[in-house]
Amino acid sequence: MQLTRFTDLGLRVVMRLAVAGNGDRPGSREIAEELSVSYAHATKVITRLGELGVVDARRGRGGGLAITELGRTATVGWLARRLEGEDEVVECDGATPCPLRSGCRLRSALRRAQHAFYASLDTLTIDDLIQNPTGAVLLALPPVARAGTQVSTMIGE
């Protein structure tokens, strides 16, 4: 099973927000730059995360992004299902139906595998994923300069 880039980015955004300090509300552009993805793609993902209630997004002064309590406690499987959709792994009944569909065991085997994949992700929350060493890596992402500010790369400045 392979997750889409949309779901992968959604999980990474939530993980990044989970390690943000109190009062730290990075913007969409900052998150996109830190995670090395396009701003347009990050914005679409962040919009969906907001619709799901996983991310609180505010505009204007004092705005930015923050993870919600749901974002911290929801399982990774729940979030992946919402971002990915629960479509079949293979399309047997599409515009050109598979000629094997009436006697094929592959479809049900793939459905069971998909359920097992999500079930294994249901044992984890975002808080589980950000335990070290991952949390330390997320905290070490290079800072992004905001308009009108200087970013120091020296420790202690």
Side-chain angles (χ1 to χ4, degrees):
M1 172 103 196
Q2 183 174 358
L3 297 175
T4 61
R5 286 186 354 202
F6 188 87
T7 301
D8 173 49
L9 179 55
L11 293 170
R12 289 189 288 146
V13 166
V14 175
M15 289 169 62
R16 165 55 182 88
L17 293 174
V19 298
N22 288 342
D24 180 23
R25 294 183 68 96
S28 300
R29 192 168 303 281
E30 184 177 348
I31 292 289
E33 290 175 9
E34 287 178 356
L35 297 177
S36 301
V37 297
S38 80
Y39 173 68
H41 193 58
T43 300
K44 289 176 187 174
V45 170
I46 291 165
T47 298
R48 180 66 179 134
L49 292 170
E51 292 168 354
L52 292 172
V54 173
V55 169
D56 176 44
R58 296 184 190 164
R59 293 181 183 260
R61 186 176 203 98
L65 305 169
I67 191 169
T68 64
E69 185 60 28
L70 174 61
R72 289 192 179 282
T73 59
T75 69
V76 175
W78 178 88
L79 184 54
R81 282 183 194 91
R82 297 313 172 285
L83 294 172
E84 196 71 21
E86 294 194 59
D87 294 335
E88 296 275 339
V89 176
V90 293
E91 180 58 54
C92 299
D93 300 317
T96 308
C98 176
L100 304 176
R101 70 177 186 245
S102 64
C104 181
R105 298 176 62 184
L106 177 62
R107 184 178 189 179
S108 61
L110 291 174
R111 188 178 306 120
R112 284 191 308 275
Q114 181 181 31
H115 290 301
F117 174 81
Y118 285 127
S120 70
L121 294 176
D122 283 336
T123 65
L124 300 167
T125 65
I126 294 297
D127 277 344
D128 293 327
L129 295 181
I130 63 167
Q131 298 303 308
N132 284 330
T134 306
V137 172
L138 286 163
L139 289 171
L141 290 174
V144 178
R146 292 188 176 109
T149 64
Q150 262 188 326
V151 175
S152 173
T153 56
M154 299 294 290
I155 296 176
E157 284 188 38

